[in-house]
Amino acid sequence: MNYDQLLAPAAKEMRPSGIRKFFDLAADMPHCISLGVGEPDFKTPWSIRDAGIRSLEQGKTKYTANAGIKELRAEICRYLSRRMDLEYKPENVLVTVGGSEAIDMTIRALVAPGDEVIIPEPCFVCYEPITQLTGGVPVHIATKAEDEFRLTPEALRAAITPRTKLLILPFPNNPTGAVMDRQTLEGIAEVLRGTDIMVLSDEIYAELTYGLDRHVSIASLPEMKERTVVVNGFSKAYAMTGWRLGYAVGPQPVISVMTKIHQSCIMSAPTTSQYAAIVALRSCDDEIEIMRDEYNRRRRYVVKALNDMGLACFEPRGAFYVFPSIRVSGLTSEEFCERLLREQEVAIVPGDAFGASGEGFARISYAYSVDHLQTAMRRIRRFLEEHDWLNENK
């Protein structure tokens, strides 16, 4: 069999995840300190775990409605109203297998061959390959450290063509930790009003923002709800990565088509996870605050430690990542991370894994214990010292 000819070209050309590459390398090094994976180190709160266990004990192990348990969809609506100032009805909600499936369903429902999809970079790794699998054309916009890695209205306007169908808005951002404030979002919204361009607003880190201002969804701005699909989930805010549960909310005609695709490809999200998620939304606001406060403590420590070494790092205001410049080394991002792993057994992710504009940077996750982070920072400092790259900021 000639599998090279049999495989679909778009599937063959997909890049493997640069995140997973370094995670897999670190797994074979017993003394490695990994700061590579964006996964909370907290256990899922007990009340959520207990709800999942009780649903199993009660025999709730059948398929649910394709769009998700109605009680959960109603609870998602109440949560979005309470926490994000977004008003939806259960028919505007699709419960998915993680936020990743919600992204996939949104792009598949909206993007036809030849349609252009604007993707600000650096960004999470899935947007481009999913776009390409649909026959869509990724259009990349490089965000810059001097703009705090925000998408600017001017850059968006310059990227729009008659073929533009969708803007992906991945904020709070993985890998940079950037957030979009209300004023900047209003500028983005003004560019889009009066067009037929839809927005996929990936808000999986919406609960993890730091500072006086809370996350603002572009769907909450005037005339934007009708053109926005908001993607969110339970993995990051509730430390539920392994439960694989997310959701999309948006205009009912779009959600209806997404549900049909989901019906054919997935059937329904995990039943046990859905019952657990109901309790998460109803009773775990305090647990979110506790985890966010701890992430904030770690964030401040890591940003200061990196800047003190001379690895310039803007202050991220969201998610649980920092994105320092490694240009002081003169190495590419890939070379820097490979040598750090080999010489000091610290795993971080090259910035170019998140798009070409990430070259010269690296992603470090602080979703780890303070002891873990302190050990990693000492090893990174030693790595810089041994190569005479240390530029201490007193």
Side-chain angles (χ1 to χ4, degrees):
M1 300 289 286
N2 188 335
Y3 294 107
D4 191 57
Q5 289 184 351
L6 290 170
L7 290 166
K12 284 196 302 179
E13 291 168 9
M14 290 176 68
R15 290 191 307 167
S17 170
I19 303 172
R20 283 292 160 181
K21 172 185 173 181
F22 279 79
F23 177 78
D24 292 342
L25 288 171
D28 292 330
M29 303 173 71
H31 302 294
C32 181
I33 295 289
S34 177
L35 304 180
V37 179
E39 180 169 33
D41 65 320
F42 297 98
K43 289 185 174 68
T44 304
W46 170 245
S47 60
I48 300 173
R49 285 181 278 154
D50 185 51
I53 292 166
R54 282 189 286 106
S55 75
L56 291 170
E57 291 175 338
Q58 293 166 2
K60 295 177 178 178
T61 57
K62 306 293 186 182
Y63 293 129
T64 71
N66 295 130
I69 297 169
K70 189 169 184 179
E71 184 181 6
L72 172 57
R73 287 183 284 134
E75 203 61 52
I76 288 169
C77 294
R78 284 189 282 272
Y79 162 82
L80 290 173
S81 176
R82 183 178 79 251
R83 303 284 285 190
M84 306 293 169
D85 294 324
L86 295 173
E87 301 298 331
Y88 290 99
K89 297 178 180 179
E91 55 265 34
N92 298 108
V93 181
L94 170 63
V95 179
T96 58
V97 181
S100 296
E101 193 217 343
I103 294 167
D104 185 21
M105 294 297 101
T106 305
I107 295 173
R108 284 208 255 177
L110 291 170
V111 178
D115 287 343
E116 293 180 350
V117 177
I118 295 176
I119 306 174
E121 287 187 346
C123 66
F124 185 50
V125 297
C126 77
Y127 309 123
E128 177 179 283
I130 295 172
T131 296
Q132 291 171 327
L133 285 172
T134 67
V137 180
V139 176
H140 301 290
I141 297 178
T143 60
K144 301 174 183 177
E146 52 264 36
D147 296 323
E148 297 186 337
F149 291 106
R150 292 171 175 160
L151 173 64
T152 66
E154 295 77 18
L156 174 60
R157 186 177 290 109
I160 292 174
T161 76
R163 296 169 64 186
T164 304
K165 173 65 74 69
L166 180 66
L167 165 66
I168 293 176
L169 203 61
F171 296 94
N173 183 265
N174 170 14
T176 65
V179 300
M180 296 282 283
D181 60 21
R182 183 179 293 275
Q183 181 178 354
T184 308
L185 278 176
E186 182 54 52
I188 297 297
E190 187 57 34
V191 173
L192 296 174
R193 291 185 184 113
T195 74
D196 290 326
I197 299 170
M198 291 289 295
V199 179
L200 190 171
S201 186
D202 184 353
E203 302 182 20
I204 193 71
Y205 294 100
E207 287 285 8
L208 301 180
T209 60
Y210 314 101
L212 296 177
D213 297 328
R214 296 294 304 276
H215 171 73
V216 178
S217 173
I218 195 168
S220 68
L221 301 183
E223 300 177 45
M224 293 307 296
K225 182 178 175 182
E226 66 192 40
R227 67 172 69 251
T228 302
V229 175
V230 175
V231 169
N232 207 325
F234 299 84
S235 294
K236 313 301 181 178
Y238 299 97
M240 291 177 68
T241 52
W243 296 77
R244 303 314 304 132
L245 201 70
Y247 57 87
V249 296
Q252 197 277 328
V254 178
I255 294 296
S256 178
V257 171
M258 290 170 61
T259 303
K260 287 195 296 182
I261 303 170
H262 170 82
Q263 181 183 58
S264 296
C265 298
I266 300 294
M267 180 62 73
S268 60
T271 301
T272 304
S273 301
Q274 292 191 58
Y275 281 106
I278 293 169
V279 170
L281 293 169
R282 283 180 179 168
S283 62
C284 289
D285 286 2
D286 289 345
E287 279 82 355
I288 290 175
E289 302 297 333
I290 291 168
M291 289 188 276
R292 180 170 53 232
D293 286 347
E294 178 58 22
Y295 290 136
N296 192 24
R297 183 166 76 101
R298 300 172 188 178
R299 177 186 71 96
R300 294 196 302 267
Y301 165 71
V302 172
V303 169
K304 183 177 187 304
L306 292 169
N307 279 320
D308 285 349
M309 296 178 210
L311 295 182
C313 183
F314 101 103
E315 185 175 358
R317 295 288 185 180
F320 37 56
Y321 309 104
V322 294
F323 204 58
S325 169
I326 52 84
R327 293 192 175 98
V328 66
S329 70
L331 302 176
T332 68
S333 297
E334 186 94 6
E335 290 167 342
F336 183 93
C337 293
E338 286 182 350
R339 290 182 64 172
L340 177 63
L341 180 61
R342 185 172 65 250
E343 297 174 26
Q344 295 295 332
E345 296 192 325
V346 175
I348 61 178
V349 183
D352 66 350
F354 306 95
S357 63
E359 180 54 65
F361 297 86
R363 189 192 80 171
I364 296 175
S365 169
Y366 52 85
Y368 296 90
S369 71
V370 171
D371 286 345
H372 195 86
L373 293 169
Q374 288 175 335
T375 301
M377 292 301 112
R378 285 195 295 269
R379 292 187 186 183
I380 294 173
R381 173 178 283 271
R382 187 184 312 133
F383 176 67
L384 297 175
E385 285 177 334
E386 291 179 355
H387 292 282
D388 200 27
W389 294 330
L390 185 67
N391 181 19
E392 293 185 290
N393 295 319
K394 301 296 186 183

